[in-house]
Amino acid sequence: MLFEYCAENFTNIEAALRAGAGRIELCDNLAQGGTTPSAGVIEQAVGIVHAHEDAEVRVIIRPRKGNFDYSKAEMKAMETDIRYAGANGVDGIVIGCLKRRSKGKGFELDADATTRLIKVARGVGEMRGRSMGVTFHMAFDELSASEQLEAIDVLAGLGVDHILTHGGAAGAPIEDNFDQLRACIERAAGRLVILPGGGITHQNAARVAEALGVDELHGTKIVKLG
């Protein structure tokens, strides 16, 4: 079982790794859903994580709180952040790009923006001789159930290797979303990893993993600290 610990900066990273986390999702401003941490935090976090054998760190690339529909300037900023993170040893990035629907309310997957960011990550990987993993974060949960299944096909084709999802609206117990999570796992069919998160702790992790048949879980309380 791989536990991905969602860390706000590097304060609890060492404790999380000692408690059994195998991968760190590095963020700032978790109260706002997570934004890109500073350059200094990224450097220090990479050093801490890579001192532990086989542990990995992925950094969220998100310039602000709010929706996931990004301007041209924000896209350029995210591209720069990806280059910096990759050049400083990060194992992967965590991204999520949506766009406003052409008809109706809400958002849909922005495949073009996602492709741009993945292309940058691939370029960094080629330059350093080690590829970067790509997680599509919980922006995924803004999509309807049917759109999520279609998005899995698109994201798998683009080279995304993980989708972080609660399976439904934030705040609902994870157990209420098991059916949708199972549908996503079936649709993924091994092309990428559906990574359940949101409301999963070290106390219910084993039950969730058994119910869904998964071997990776995500959370801010996924391991017991201290």
Side-chain angles (χ1 to χ4, degrees), residues 83-97:
R83 293 187 186 99
Y84 179 86
N88 284 275
V90 165
D91 300 294
I93 57 171
V94 183
I95 60 173
C97 299

Side-chain angles (χ1 to χ4, degrees), residues 1 19 27 61 94 106 115 138 140 167 181-182 204 207 219 223:
M1 179 63 62
C27 306
I61 304 296
V94 183
T115 299
M138 286 185 177
F140 184 78
L181 287 166
R182 291 188 184 104
N204 67 356
R207 295 195 301 274
V223 293

Side-chain angles (χ1 to χ4, degrees), residues 45-115:
V46 168
I48 294 169
V49 173
H50 287 172
H52 290 254
E53 187 176 1
D54 297 328
E56 296 186 352
V57 56
R58 296 192 178 193
V59 64
I60 192 167
I61 304 296
R62 186 181 178 213
R64 56 162 172 79
K65 66 177 182 179
N67 67 43
F68 307 100
D69 182 15
Y70 297 110
S71 68
K72 291 181 180 179
E74 288 169 336
M75 287 295 297
K76 289 181 179 178
M78 288 192 287
E79 290 172 355
T80 298
D81 287 340
I82 290 170
R83 293 187 186 99
Y84 179 86
N88 284 275
V90 165
D91 300 294
I93 57 171
V94 183
I95 60 173
C97 299
L98 305 178
K99 61 183 179 181
R100 295 189 183 277
R101 298 183 192 279
S102 56
K103 296 182 180 179
K105 298 180 179 180
F107 297 88
E108 60 187 359
L109 178 68
D110 191 337
D112 290 339
T114 304
T115 299

